[in-house]
Amino acid sequence: MSNPQQLRYSKEHEWLSAVEDGVATIGITEFAANALGDVVYAQLPEVGDTVTEGETCGELESTKSVSDLYSPVTGEITAANQDVVDDPSLVNSAPFEGGWLFKVRVAQEPADLLSADEYTAFSGN
C-alpha cells in the first residue's frame, strides 16, 4: 500500500490535499478503507456546513461496522462527493481519487498533520 506523498494525513486516517485557493479535498486512507471493509453507505457533510477539526461530520457504513467520519480541519464545506453517496464502494476502490469525500474552505491547516512517510510508520503500512 502506498500513501501519496503530496497528501497530508491525520491520525484518524483521513487524508488532506494541498490547500489550493483556500480549499482542500478530504478523504479516508486506503488503510482505513481496508479496515472498514466494503463501504455500503456514506453520509457526508452538506455544502455550507461548518466542520471543526477533530469533530464528527458524517459517517461511513460498511458490511463490518459503522464508522464516524472526522474532519481533519476546521472550515466550510464547498463540495460533497455525490458519486460516493451514489456508489459508496468508490471509497474502497479509489480512496485517493474518485473516492474523495468532501472539499472544505480551510480556516487554518493544523500543524499536526503527518507526511506520507510519517503516516505509513504510524499506521504500520
Side-chain angles (χ1 to χ4, degrees):
M1 177 180 332
S2 178
N3 296 303
Q5 291 292 319
Q6 75 275 17
L7 302 176
R8 293 290 169 250
Y9 301 86
S10 76
K11 290 184 177 179
E12 288 76 33
H13 308 288
E14 286 89 22
W15 58 262
L16 173 82
S17 71
V19 177
E20 294 180 29
D21 296 327
V23 176
T25 303
I26 310 291
I28 66 165
T29 65
E30 186 175 5
F31 174 82
N34 289 340
L36 273 172
D38 295 332
V39 177
V40 296
Y41 174 77
Q43 178 209 349
L44 304 178
E46 296 181 12
V47 172
D49 286 354
T50 299
V51 293
T52 303
E53 177 187 345
E55 304 259 327
T56 302
C57 63
E59 69 179 29
L60 297 174
E61 182 177 329
S62 72
T63 54
K64 292 181 181 180
S65 66
V66 176
S67 179
D68 286 333
L69 178 61
Y70 296 92
S71 180
V73 295
T74 297
E76 181 181 343
I77 301 299
T78 62
N81 190 347
Q82 187 61 44
D83 291 343
V84 165
V85 173
D86 295 341
D87 181 7
S89 70
L90 287 171
V91 171
N92 298 104
S93 63
F96 297 115
E97 295 91 25
W100 63 273
L101 301 176
F102 58 92
K103 295 184 182 209
V104 60
R105 182 164 308 285
V106 178
Q108 181 176 352
E109 189 172 335
D112 62 347
L113 293 175
L114 307 173
S115 69
D117 292 339
E118 291 168 333
Y119 179 74
T120 299
F122 169 77
S123 65
N125 286 302

